[in-house]
Amino acid sequence: MAVTDPSQPSAQAAPRGDEAIGVVHSELRRGSIGLAGVLMQSVAQISPTLGIFYTIAFNTGQAGKAAPLTYLAAFAICLVIAVPMTALARHLPSAGGFYTYVSQGIGPRWGFMTGWLYAIMVTIVPAALAAFTGAVLHDELDAKYGFGLPWWAYALAIFAVCLACGYRGIVISVRFLVTMSLFEICVGLGLALTGVFNPGPGGVNASGFNPGSIGSSSGFFLAIVLSIFAFTGFESAAAVGEESRDPKRLVPLAIAGSLILIGAFYVFCAWGLQIGWGTDNLTALANSPTAPAFVLADRLWSGGSIIVLIALVNSGLGVCIACTTSSTRTIFGMARTGALPAPLAATSRKHGTPVTAVLLQTGIAVTIALAVGLPLGPYNLFNLLGTTGTFVYIPIFILMNVAAFKFFRDKHRDEFRILTLVVAPVISTAALIVIGYKSIVPLPASPVDYAPAIAAGYLLLGAIILFGRNLRPGRREWMAHAGELPELD
């Protein structure tokens, strides 16, 4: 249970700034999950099978035989990004995540903008993933079995499951995530292993790891950009830290562990899928009108593409549940300190879940999936919002790097390490800036070319809320509490 201290924000008290509204209960369920649950929160938000099965064709088209190297390079960059993040997580276990990190390191205004960007992005991501998963289900079931429900019907079913998990609590969400993540990882590894034991033209070889296989350096770099986005989600362990049994230990372990697990998974699967297809015929893999995993499963598993379909649906549902958890905890963490309206910090007394935030997140995701996905198409919506996420992650990670440097330099000088808090942040910040540049020069085709403008819109809306709600005279009390932590046992 939380210990009330007049000098610290109480997890049970009404959030600052909106006391008159009278929030009845504002506490997450502490000590509910262990390392497996925190780890799978990150793994599920990365969405392993979606990440590999729907990037391998593009990466092969850009990098040829060297596609496995693009995942390895992306893995290395993400590990560098994670270095200062894990250092912050050891000191700042809070559902607010980036909001708390940047508020502590740089200041409340920057903390608000960082938390806002992460919260709004991860709130909207399920709209894209549910629509995409629904479209994959529709296309496969209609083409092979004549079962023709529209994609939006599947998407609504996914939202219903996410809402139920989000409302019922972290334990049931984690049970879903552990089961689903293990299943999809087994399917991905199984298909890759089958490919290695039944290679296509070219046989088993290690050309995928030979730098000499890199043809176009620009194509190789673009593949790395996409691969980095396929890793995002590893940071979401922080969102469930308060609900874990030992957040200062488990969250850093889960951040690093999810990256290592998925890094090995991506690299091996990329190599195995290429070997199974045939390294002498990779042009056909890159240009396949059907996801290569479906083609390989039908060939290697005697029509077993239904297993891949189940894994992909499983992955789509898992990432939607994980995003619901991470977005609502970030919103809760901000509202608890008064940075967002107090009702968003209200929790269910029975389940310990931020019910108002869950309902808001689900409503926004459903609205965008239908209002934008129906006229634009589910695949365009997925590509557009996925690319938008890339542009949102860039400033978030850069601000986190700056916050880590300042936090340890100013508040924990005895733990300040040049390699961890200067070299790693400089390398990852430079890489992120280059990634952002390469993502818009040249500008991608429509509608993905709107992604930078949408990301800028997220930023502008956050600035308006920050100024209109929180920076007016008499509404700045939250700034004194933005980086505070709840009392944990």
Side-chain angles (χ1 to χ4, degrees):
M1 295 296 293
V3 178
T4 302
D5 180 345
S7 67
Q8 296 292 333
S10 169
Q12 295 179 328
R16 295 173 174 85
D18 289 280
E19 291 84 351
I21 294 177
V23 173
V24 175
H25 192 256
S26 183
E27 183 179 14
L28 299 173
R29 180 163 290 175
R30 305 283 171 77
S32 300
I33 57 175
L35 177 59
V38 183
L39 176 67
M40 289 306 169
Q41 166 66 26
S42 286
V43 169
Q45 191 160 319
I46 295 173
S47 60
T49 52
L50 276 174
I52 187 65
F53 288 168
Y54 279 93
T55 59
I56 186 61
F58 177 85
N59 284 5
T60 299
Q62 297 296 323
K65 292 181 180 180
L69 272 179
T70 67
Y71 296 96
L72 189 60
F75 170 49
I77 292 171
C78 289
L79 277 178
V80 175
I81 293 172
V83 168
M85 188 184 301
T86 55
L88 287 169
R90 279 191 290 271
H91 279 272
L92 304 172
S94 169
F98 288 117
Y99 166 66
T100 304
Y101 298 165
V102 177
S103 293
Q104 282 264 7
I106 304 177
R109 292 180 177 88
W110 287 107
F112 178 91
M113 291 305 302
T114 307
W116 164 263
L117 283 175
Y118 187 73
I120 191 67
M121 176 191 65
V122 186
T123 290
I124 291 173
V125 161
L129 267 298
F132 177 83
T133 305
V136 171
L137 262 173
H138 168 268
D139 292 350
E140 285 296 306
L141 293 180
D142 186 44
K144 294 182 178 178
Y145 307 102
F147 190 74
L149 276 179
W151 67 264
W152 53 263
Y154 297 115
L156 289 176
I158 290 172
F159 288 129
V161 174
C162 291
L163 177 60
C165 290
Y167 176 76
R168 286 294 303 278
I170 191 65
V171 174
I172 191 170
S173 295
V174 161
R175 285 174 182 168
F176 267 92
L177 296 181
V178 170
T179 302
M180 292 188 294
S181 297
L182 290 175
F183 171 74
E184 64 174 293
I185 288 172
C186 287
V187 172
L189 289 176
L191 187 59
L193 275 170
T194 308
V196 172
F197 287 114
N198 299 273
V204 178
N205 61 81
S207 58
F209 303 105
N210 181 1
S213 299
I214 300 173
S216 165
S217 59
S218 60
F220 183 78
F221 186 87
L222 287 175
I224 294 175
V225 170
L226 182 64
S227 299
I228 289 173
F229 182 71
F231 276 97
T232 54
F234 64 89
E235 77 290 336
S236 71
V240 298
E242 289 182 33
E243 294 159 280
S244 72
R245 298 188 184 106
D246 185 2
K248 291 185 177 182
R249 182 177 69 90
L250 297 186
V251 172
L253 280 175
I255 291 173
S258 62
L259 269 177
I260 293 169
L261 176 64
I262 299 303
F265 174 82
Y266 278 168
V267 172
F268 177 77
C269 286
W271 176 68
L273 293 176
Q274 282 197 339
I275 294 297
W277 188 282
T279 54
D280 289 347
N281 194 28
L282 291 181
T283 301
L285 186 155
N287 297 325
S288 175
T290 304
F294 286 119
V295 178
L296 275 175
D298 278 335
R299 176 166 65 84
L300 299 176
W301 289 348
S302 302
S305 60
I306 187 65
I307 300 174
V308 170
L309 178 62
I310 294 170
L312 287 171
V313 172
N314 179 92
S315 188
L317 177 58
V319 70
C320 288
I321 293 174
C323 285
T324 297
T325 299
S326 57
S327 63
T328 54
R329 269 53 176 186
T330 301
I331 292 169
F332 167 85
M334 296 177 71
R336 180 175 54 192
T337 64
L340 290 175
L344 293 173
T347 57
S348 163
R349 206 174 276 278
K350 180 179 180 181
H351 302 295
T353 53
V355 288
T356 309
V358 169
L359 292 171
L360 176 65
Q361 185 276 334
T362 302
I364 291 173
V366 171
T367 299
I368 291 176
L370 298 180
V372 183
L374 284 172
L376 194 64
Y379 292 117
N380 282 334
L381 179 67
F382 174 77
N383 292 332
L384 175 59
L385 294 182
T387 307
T388 300
T390 300
F391 292 108
V392 175
Y393 265 114
I394 289 171
I396 289 173
F397 285 150
I398 290 175
L399 286 168
M400 182 272 299
N401 281 336
V402 176
F405 172 83
K406 288 178 60 61
F407 176 78
F408 284 96
R409 186 197 62 182
D410 299 341
K411 300 178 181 179
H412 293 276
R413 188 75 183 185
D414 58 316
E415 297 181 43
F416 189 88
R417 301 290 184 271
I418 295 294
L419 186 62
T420 302
L421 299 165
V422 178
V423 176
V426 167
I427 291 173
S428 63
T429 297
L432 289 165
I433 291 172
V434 173
I435 287 166
Y437 174 79
K438 292 290 186 178
S439 297
I440 58 175
V441 180
L443 205 63
S446 180
V448 178
D449 58 342
Y450 290 103
I454 295 173
Y458 293 170
L459 184 66
L460 178 60
L461 181 58
I464 291 171
I465 294 173
L466 174 63
F467 180 79
R469 170 183 161 77
N470 294 328
L471 295 185
R472 290 178 298 169
R475 300 303 299 269
R476 299 179 182 178
E477 183 186 358
W478 69 276
M479 295 176 66
H481 310 290
E484 288 181 343
L485 301 174
E487 290 292 330
L488 302 174
D489 291 337

